[in-house]
Amino acid sequence: MSNLIDQTMIIAILPEIGLVVLIGLVLLFGGIWKGKRLKGLGWLTAAGLGVLIVLSLVFAGPQAENQLVWGNMLHHDWYGLVFRLIFMLGAAITAIIAMEYDYGQKSEFYILLLTSTLGMNLMASAADLIMLYLAFETASIPLYVLAGFLKREKSSVEAGFKYLLFGAMSSALMLFGFSLIYGFTGMTNLADLAQAVVQGVFPPSAVLVSLLLVLIGFSFKISAFPFHFWAPDIYQGAATPISGFLSTASKAAGFSVLLRVMFVVYPSLTGQWQLILGIISGLTMTVGNIIALTQKDLKRLLAYSSIAHAGYILIGISAASAFGVGSAVFYIGTYLLTNLTAFGAVALAGEKTGSFAVDDFDGLSRRSPGLALIMLVSLLSLAGMPPFGGFIAKVLVFAAGVRGGMLWLVAVGALNSIIGLFYYLIVLKHVYLYLPQEGAPKLTFPKPAVATLALLSLGIIVIGTLFSPWYHWALNAAQNLF
Amino acid sequence: MIPLAWYLIFAAAVFSIGLYGVLARKNIVAILMSIELMLTAININLIAFWRYSLDQGLAGQVFTIIVFAVSASEVAVGLALVISIYRRFKEISAEDINLLKW
């Protein structure tokens, strides 16, 4: 590898360069624009991310297999690219929903959002422990601030601090695992580490300890049992679009590194981590779904449902095959669209009525038929009903689980889907069957946000019916890990 | 020369003290300090491993510097959040900051 910067290296980090430029632009216009025009910051962010998505699709496609760039710090492969597109899409949607509210009139909000996206992008393509850690924190630290962004509200401030506390603690545990990995092998490159594990340079007991410590950090990020307890508190306290971002893009970033590290560094221990992840998966979905049954607050309910979904995604991963990883990636993409739609709809209705209690969504179908329909699509897709995307995604991970010999886990998953269906239908019962309170006015919502959500709902149906091109992408991405 | 194991035991001890502090302390500033303690322990680990190991390069030192930088920014954000907590709650004891629970 030459020391000069060549074209491939620039192309490999094209989306990241674009993000940095976009951060600069937002900063600049945040200073120039005043008053009502500040709303344009949301448009600028979303449009910029849209342009970046198109540019990366056209130009940033990798030419060779498993190419390493920037001094072996980053991978340049389909796997990274697919995840980067997912993160940028999530950030764009979050910006569109957020720009209607007070916090969306500040340039800091978008800068933090974009910085976090930048970190996630690097997480998905990191090829070195040092890069991985740095990207992990670049993605996390802005999110701590964003969770506590509403600094006049007690609950938001509390959410921000709690998130920082749990996040810093779990990343310190993960880092302790990294320091052991580095110490026993003297290497930090992920692919070299796999060699060290196979050749036995790395004593087996130390390998297992490092594996567990690293898993703690990642489980926190994907909110898997037993490190899921932060999620409901933070999702409830943070501004709703941010909760949506945390539950989708941030979780997807956690999965992107989990997959990369498990399949690249520890392929020789597949038997062990398959079982560990299988058990975590079963517990995660069961705990998430059962506690969700008792929730009265819609944001908390969605938080527990997002914990349960992390469990379903883990089924695909614990199958430990290209098919399993492909279906997990497909699930992550579908889940991002679906959950952002659900959180977006809840954000619009809840901010308007000032309450997120399930009871206050009574008769939403009378007060705003359009939004109620969007909620119907997203919640049914989360529950895994055909013809929505969630159905195909669930079928694929379950099929991967069966093929990977994790029959018991698939059985647990199927039972959990039924529990899940139950509480999603309860919410829909409130929305559709109950009458609104006397004299409750009709609700009107900002047009761009509703149009985006309608487009996303359409996307959910498209993914559920014409799934093969998207699935092909996911499978292509998965192939890079094997 | 002092054996590597001594450094590792020392680092593990500091790390455990930090972890205990995060889980048991009530004052949120003390909790932040405990997190710093955990990260310091990791730095000791990394530097000791680098000094004693087969690594011909500088990966250990680079890693340590990055951990320094990250922990500094983490504590900066942490203290900012402590200030905004103090403004809202007039309190910095973790027990009294409990609006969010099921």
Side-chain angles (χ1 to χ4, degrees):
Chain A
M1 174 146 309
S2 76
N3 288 324
L4 294 168
I5 297 173
D6 56 23
Q7 203 187 350
T8 13
M9 293 167 85
I10 299 292
I11 284 175
I13 57 161
L14 187 72
E16 288 74 31
I17 295 175
L19 278 172
V20 174
V21 173
L22 192 56
I23 291 171
L25 282 178
V26 171
L27 194 61
L28 181 70
F29 284 106
I32 296 173
W33 286 341
K34 295 271 178 288
K36 273 200 144 181
R37 298 193 65 184
L38 280 172
K39 208 172 151 184
L41 290 173
W43 282 118
L44 179 67
T45 311
L49 284 165
V51 170
L52 280 181
I53 289 172
V54 174
L55 280 182
S56 354
L57 265 178
V58 178
F59 295 111
Q63 278 90 32
E65 287 277 300
N66 289 331
Q67 209 177 358
L68 288 171
V69 287
W70 293 102
N72 297 346
M73 282 287 157
L74 291 175
H75 281 285
H76 182 34
D77 55 6
W78 276 109
Y79 177 81
L81 186 64
V82 166
F83 268 103
R84 280 137 102 190
L85 294 176
I86 290 177
F87 305 145
M88 291 193 285
L89 182 65
I93 296 164
T94 309
I96 292 182
I97 308 281
M99 72 184 175
E100 304 298 338
Y101 304 107
D102 285 346
Y103 45 83
Q105 315 293 320
K106 294 189 175 133
S107 55
E108 302 94 293
F109 184 86
Y110 299 105
I111 292 167
L112 290 166
L113 188 71
L114 290 170
T115 313
S116 174
T117 313
L118 176 67
M120 290 173 190
N121 275 359
L122 292 174
M123 267 165 94
S125 39
D128 193 283
L129 280 185
I130 301 176
M131 190 67 221
L132 184 60
Y133 175 67
L134 191 59
F136 199 91
E137 295 295 340
T138 314
S140 303
I141 293 176
L143 288 177
Y144 304 151
V145 185
L146 280 177
F149 198 79
L150 310 176
K151 56 182 191 287
R152 309 228 165 270
E153 280 179 32
K154 275 187 164 183
S155 55
S156 171
V157 173
E158 183 183 332
F161 191 74
K162 275 189 176 166
Y163 192 29
L164 173 101
L165 216 61
F166 297 139
M169 189 181 81
S170 61
S171 78
L173 284 166
M174 177 188 77
L175 191 58
F176 198 72
F178 283 177
S179 79
L180 290 182
I181 296 177
Y182 167 71
F184 282 102
T185 59
M187 287 180 268
T188 54
N189 190 285
L190 297 183
D192 296 347
L193 285 172
Q195 293 299 319
V197 174
V198 176
Q199 289 161 1
V201 182
F202 202 168
S205 57
V207 175
L208 212 58
V209 171
S210 73
L211 175 67
L212 286 177
L213 285 169
V214 168
L215 266 181
I216 290 176
F218 297 163
S219 323
F220 171 83
K221 202 80 186 151
I222 63 174
S223 68
F225 184 85
F227 301 96
H228 65 284
F229 50 82
W230 60 276
D233 287 0
I234 278 94
Y235 293 0
Q236 190 188 2
T240 320
I242 289 306
S243 316
F245 189 69
L246 283 177
S247 74
T248 53
S250 165
K251 190 172 285 207
F255 276 113
S256 74
V257 285
L258 175 73
L259 282 165
R260 177 93 78 188
V261 169
M262 287 302 135
F263 286 98
V264 175
V265 182
Y266 297 108
S268 50
L269 283 129
T270 305
Q272 277 96 322
W273 64 251
Q274 214 177 356
L275 189 66
I276 297 174
L277 284 184
I279 293 168
I280 293 178
S281 157
L283 286 170
T284 305
M285 49 197 175
T286 313
V287 167
N289 276 325
I290 287 178
I291 303 181
L293 287 175
T294 65
Q295 295 304 317
K296 298 273 174 280
D297 183 292
L298 202 44
K299 271 165 94 174
R300 281 189 93 82
L301 187 139
L302 283 178
Y304 281 107
S305 110
S306 86
I307 293 170
H309 281 277
Y312 299 132
I313 298 170
L314 282 171
I315 297 180
I317 300 175
S318 63
S321 60
F323 177 39
V325 175
S327 51
V329 174
F330 182 81
Y331 200 115
I332 292 167
T334 316
Y335 166 77
L336 178 113
L337 284 190
T338 315
N339 217 36
L340 275 176
T341 317
F343 264 104
V346 169
L348 289 182
E351 298 274 349
K352 198 85 177 181
T353 58
S355 159
F356 290 97
V358 177
D359 293 338
D360 288 322
F361 283 74
D362 283 1
L364 187 69
S365 65
R366 268 74 159 189
R367 300 174 74 186
S368 172
L371 200 71
L373 192 65
I374 290 169
M375 261 177 103
L376 177 82
V377 171
S378 60
L379 290 184
L380 284 185
S381 173
L382 282 177
M385 287 277 123
F388 304 114
F391 170 70
I392 302 291
K394 267 210 182 82
V395 168
L396 286 172
V397 288
F398 286 172
V402 171
R403 193 141 351 137
M406 308 290 273
L407 263 180
W408 59 275
L409 190 57
V410 174
V412 174
L415 281 177
N416 266 293
S417 313
I418 299 167
I419 306 177
L421 182 61
F422 179 70
Y423 61 79
Y424 293 125
L425 285 181
I426 286 184
V427 175
L428 290 175
K429 186 174 81 173
H430 279 275
V431 169
Y432 270 92
L433 297 183
Y434 290 174
L435 289 175
Q437 283 164 346
E438 288 289 318
K442 285 215 179 280
L443 300 172
T444 49
F445 300 108
K447 284 213 175 58
V450 174
T452 312
L453 292 182
L455 210 62
L456 286 175
S457 313
L458 206 65
I460 294 170
I461 298 172
V462 168
I463 288 185
T465 43
L466 292 169
F467 61 92
S468 91
W470 319 106
Y471 181 61
H472 191 72
W473 276 23
L475 214 54
N476 240 349
Q479 231 80 39
N480 283 143
L481 295 184
F482 292 90
Chain B
M1 204 148 117
I2 302 170
L4 173 64
W6 290 24
Y7 285 104
L8 298 189
I9 292 167
F10 174 59
V14 173
F15 190 82
S16 310
I17 293 168
L19 190 58
Y20 172 78
V22 172
L23 298 173
R25 293 302 295 263
K26 297 282 176 275
N27 186 315
I28 57 179
V29 179
I31 297 177
L32 273 184
M33 285 163 64
S34 306
I35 288 174
E36 289 302 297
L37 214 53
M38 289 167 82
L39 292 171
T40 308
I42 290 160
N43 278 342
I44 297 170
N45 233 352
L46 285 171
I47 282 295
F49 273 135
W50 172 76
R51 181 69 184 77
Y52 285 79
S53 83
L54 332 156
D55 185 8
Q56 302 295 318
L58 291 169
Q61 286 198 22
V62 172
F63 211 152
T64 311
I65 289 171
I66 283 178
V67 174
F68 263 131
V70 168
S71 73
S73 51
E74 215 159 48
V75 91
V77 168
L79 286 174
L81 283 167
V82 167
I83 289 172
S84 68
I85 280 203
Y86 181 70
R87 284 197 182 141
R88 291 301 133 231
F89 288 83
K90 299 288 169 215
E91 185 70 66
I92 52 163
S93 162
E95 277 178 334
D96 298 308
I97 303 165
N98 55 2
L99 284 175
L100 303 167
K101 60 187 169 198
W102 67 302

